[in-house]
Amino acid sequence: MTAQLLQLTTAPDLADQVYRALLDAISEGSLAPGQRITQEELAEQLAVSRQPVMQALRLLKKDGFVQDAPGRGLQVTPLDPRWLVQVYEVRGALDTLAVRRAAERRTRLDPALFSRGRDAVARGDVKAMIDADLAFHSALYQAAGNPLIEQSALLHWQHIRRAMGEALQSSALREPVWDEHEAIALAVAQGDAERAEALMRRHSEQASAHLAEQLGGVAATDNSVVR
């Protein structure tokens, strides 16, 4: 499968642009797990020289998104469901802590967060869905009043993006996510910390179980989370 990538304009930070474009493609699944990639093909599709592509691939390899392919060359790193479940377990604990603290402060989230998410679902734009999801969770982290929650949660965000991109290929998951997000936000705004935490935990468990099934039936832990 040949990924369809947008051409980029030349700029001083071109290697960073290439990195972000390739990371988006990996997250969305247009560069699929295990797919072989070459500097030449990527440079041609992005309409750039091989140099920024080489620099971007070096960073992507360091960050674990690409790896050496059998024989020679590079490939997109396959998703490791067991490792992802462990990442989501930590993320789930942070999410439930965030909603409890945000509810204690009776924080009202911006309604535009939900409009943005539902609009992305309506358009079937996986990248926009992922971005909207991050915006929702980031708003909760900030509402918690503890900057360490957001800093900790974002450590593995790029890898979580990949898992979300895989999960969101299923249209059955897309709309319910935003129903769940709105229910969580309502409990937070009402100051109902117990309900907010319970809703977030259930949201996390359901999402994690679905992803584990998609990636090979790995049993999800109670607190693991995809979104």
Side-chain angles (χ1 to χ4, degrees):
M1 179 180 68
T2 300
Q4 298 300 312
L5 305 177
L6 296 176
Q7 293 187 0
L8 302 176
T9 57
T10 302
D13 60 348
L14 190 55
D16 183 61
Q17 289 188 59
V18 173
Y19 176 92
R20 294 181 182 281
L22 295 179
L23 187 55
D24 284 343
I26 291 170
S27 299
E28 297 164 32
S30 53
L31 286 175
Q35 180 177 339
R36 285 180 175 268
I37 52 178
T38 67
Q39 293 180 27
E40 294 81 3
E41 181 181 357
L42 295 175
E44 180 179 356
Q45 291 190 57
L46 295 169
V48 298
S49 69
R50 290 177 55 186
Q51 182 65 24
V53 174
M54 181 178 66
Q55 293 173 346
L57 288 175
R58 185 181 299 120
L59 290 173
L60 288 166
K61 184 177 181 180
K62 178 180 71 69
D63 292 343
F65 296 105
V66 302
Q67 63 184 30
D68 293 327
R72 58 176 298 181
L74 294 172
Q75 66 179 16
V76 177
T77 304
L79 288 165
D80 180 347
R82 293 188 183 277
W83 182 79
L84 287 171
V85 163
Q86 293 171 342
V87 171
Y88 301 152
E89 184 176 9
V90 174
R91 173 78 180 273
L94 291 168
D95 280 355
T96 53
L97 174 61
V99 295
R100 172 167 287 278
R101 294 291 177 260
E104 290 169 354
R105 304 173 78 188
R106 294 180 176 269
T107 305
R108 295 186 179 276
L109 299 186
D110 185 349
L113 291 169
F114 308 102
S115 300
R116 177 182 172 188
R118 292 190 184 280
D119 178 65
V121 170
R123 291 185 285 112
D125 186 334
V126 173
K127 179 181 181 300
M129 287 183 238
I130 294 171
D131 290 343
D133 197 277
L134 173 59
F136 169 75
H137 283 276
S138 292
L140 282 176
Y141 300 148
Q142 292 162 19
N146 182 343
L148 292 177
I149 296 177
E150 183 172 24
Q151 291 173 23
S152 301
L154 294 182
L155 284 175
H156 299 292
W157 175 251
Q158 299 295 7
H159 291 282
I160 291 171
R161 286 187 69 196
R162 289 195 67 196
M164 289 178 60
E166 179 72 18
L168 289 171
Q169 300 304 318
S170 169
S171 60
L173 277 183
R174 297 173 180 176
E175 193 67 34
V177 165
W178 288 96
D179 293 338
E180 294 167 16
H181 284 176
E182 288 197 349
I184 292 166
L186 178 60
V188 167
Q190 292 174 340
D192 192 340
E194 295 295 331
R195 178 168 173 75
E197 188 173 349
L199 287 171
M200 178 59 80
R201 184 175 294 109
R202 184 171 63 185
H203 172 68
S204 300
E205 290 169 2
Q206 292 174 343
S208 179
H210 182 90
L211 180 66
E213 181 180 355
Q214 280 188 295
L215 296 182
V218 176
T221 60
D222 286 347
N223 291 325
S224 55
V225 60
V226 175
R227 293 183 201 14

